[in-house]
Amino acid sequence: MNLVRLGDVLGPAEKGGYAVGAFNANNMEIVQAIIEAAVEERSPVIIQASQGAIKYAGLEFIVALVKTAAQNADVPVVLHLDHGTDFAQVMRCIRHGFSSVMYDGSKLPLEDNILMTSRVIEIARAVGVSVEAELGKIGGTEDDVSVEERDALFTDPREAEIFARETGVDALAIAIGTAHGVYKGEPKLDFPRLKRIRELTDVPIVLHGSSGVPDDAIRQAVELGVSKINIDTDIRQAFMGKAAEHMRENPDNIDPRKLLAPAKESAKKIIKEKMRLFGSAGKA
Ligand code: G3H
Ligand code: ZN
């Protein structure tokens, strides 16, 4: 299939009461793990590349990998830019064939975030690309985007209402207690805040930093209307954990395929579990 936009997968998810996983990819094996999981689970899927992934793998490589994967799959696939903070880079992603982009203006004052997000939307819409934005600050560290925990601020529902109305954005990432990376303790999500945001807006809601969030909390978030769930760290841990195990057990191995094939399978297993947890399995 050709790449689809966020609305093509999040619209049915909102109606059907489930969420679609947005999985971060940095290399070929992880792209393959995500696509094979989606096909085997009959699930729509969002494959996303961060600025760090683009820096590592190269924009053309990422696009070619995901397009090839999507063309050979019979489930809907979105190619999405994750946390694009640089306007020029967001434009480059659009030009190179991403079907969706995130413009992350969460460090900007509200007015400037609205202004910049609207600029991106005007251009993206003209060429059929969807846009996710962020309001509030999600804690933790992810690639080039680092927010001090003390600066991590939850999304104000009133601001979310204004932001959604003024921009008409396709999806909105909110801060309700999740953080990027490995949690030090158990994350506590602010569900009343999520509920209030859903009451005041009709924009699809995105949960970032979802690795390590207990399954029950994820189920509750989906019940309250979260329709895109971002997972990176859980994939990294599954992939690298298996790779490390392989090297411990086979210290003399010099064949990268023998290391990467089980690492890919380990990533695929966790991705499939997430698709079942989010309720997207069987929906494509
Ligand atoms: O944008 C990507 C995510 O928010 C991933 O967060 O690494 O905590 O799963 P995570
Ligand atoms: Zn994120």
Side-chain angles (χ1 to χ4, degrees):
M1 282 173 82
N2 287 330
L3 295 173
V4 300
R5 288 168 293 181
L6 276 188
D8 298 318
V9 296
L10 299 188
E14 289 218 289
K15 282 194 201 92
Y18 60 92
V20 179
F23 303 101
N24 284 73
N26 291 291
N27 61 11
M28 182 186 76
E29 285 76 11
I30 293 178
V31 170
Q32 289 172 333
I34 298 168
I35 207 78
E36 287 173 21
V39 170
E40 287 170 27
E41 290 297 323
R42 306 299 320 150
S43 173
V45 72
I46 299 160
I47 302 181
Q48 55 187 16
S50 65
Q51 295 180 150
I54 292 170
K55 204 156 137 195
Y56 169 73
L59 189 49
E60 288 89 351
F61 279 96
I62 294 272
V63 173
L65 283 170
V66 177
K67 277 194 172 169
T68 305
Q71 266 154 21
N72 293 313
D74 54 355
V75 296
V77 179
V78 179
L79 170 55
H80 181 74
L81 168 67
D82 189 31
H83 291 287
T85 52
D86 173 28
F87 180 82
Q89 192 182 42
V90 173
M91 293 302 117
R92 278 197 295 279
C93 288
I94 293 174
R95 188 152 176 248
H96 279 83
F98 278 58
S99 60
S100 181
V101 290
M102 175 182 189
Y103 174 70
D104 180 353
S106 60
K107 284 182 180 165
L108 303 172
L110 178 65
E111 288 310 310
D112 295 349
N113 193 357
I114 290 175
L115 202 80
M116 287 302 296
T117 302
S118 302
R119 257 182 91 192
V120 171
I121 290 174
E122 192 184 347
I123 297 161
R125 282 252 159 95
V127 291
V129 169
S130 48
V131 180
E132 172 185 338
E134 179 171 324
L135 192 62
K137 293 190 182 75
I138 297 158
T141 304
E142 184 177 278
D143 290 334
D144 300 327
V145 185
S146 176
V147 183
E148 291 297 318
E149 271 180 27
R150 63 189 151 77
D151 282 338
L153 294 171
F154 286 4
T155 306
D156 177 339
R158 288 271 167 216
E159 287 192 359
E161 182 187 18
I162 296 165
F163 191 91
R165 192 181 55 234
E166 304 260 314
T167 61
V169 75
D170 299 298
L172 183 63
I174 57 166
I176 56 164
T178 57
H180 294 126
V182 180
Y183 286 99
K184 292 180 192 98
E186 188 175 307
K188 297 254 172 304
L189 272 58
D190 186 344
F191 291 115
R193 184 179 297 267
L194 168 58
K195 217 168 155 211
R196 188 78 187 122
I197 293 169
R198 286 290 288 167
E199 281 162 8
L200 294 176
T201 70
D202 55 8
V203 63
I205 298 297
V206 185
L207 196 63
H208 281 245
S210 306
S211 296
V213 176
D215 288 0
D216 279 348
I218 291 286
R219 277 189 209 100
Q220 208 174 331
V222 174
E223 252 166 56
L224 289 172
V226 164
S227 58
K228 175 177 180 274
I229 301 183
N230 287 13
I231 299 283
D232 186 7
T233 300
D234 279 341
I235 300 175
R236 291 179 187 216
Q237 285 182 323
F239 191 91
M240 291 306 292
K242 197 70 188 173
E245 183 189 305
H246 175 87
M247 285 317 290
R248 265 197 313 274
E249 288 169 6
N250 306 276
D252 298 328
N253 174 38
I254 56 150
D255 184 345
R257 295 167 299 185
K258 290 194 175 133
L259 169 78
L260 295 171
K264 181 189 108 177
E265 286 308 314
S266 172
K268 183 165 137 186
K269 184 168 174 284
I270 186 89
I271 295 164
K272 290 176 77 163
E273 284 167 16
K274 298 291 175 188
M275 287 168 168
R276 283 182 228 132
L277 173 64
F278 302 163
S280 69
K283 298 294 196 304

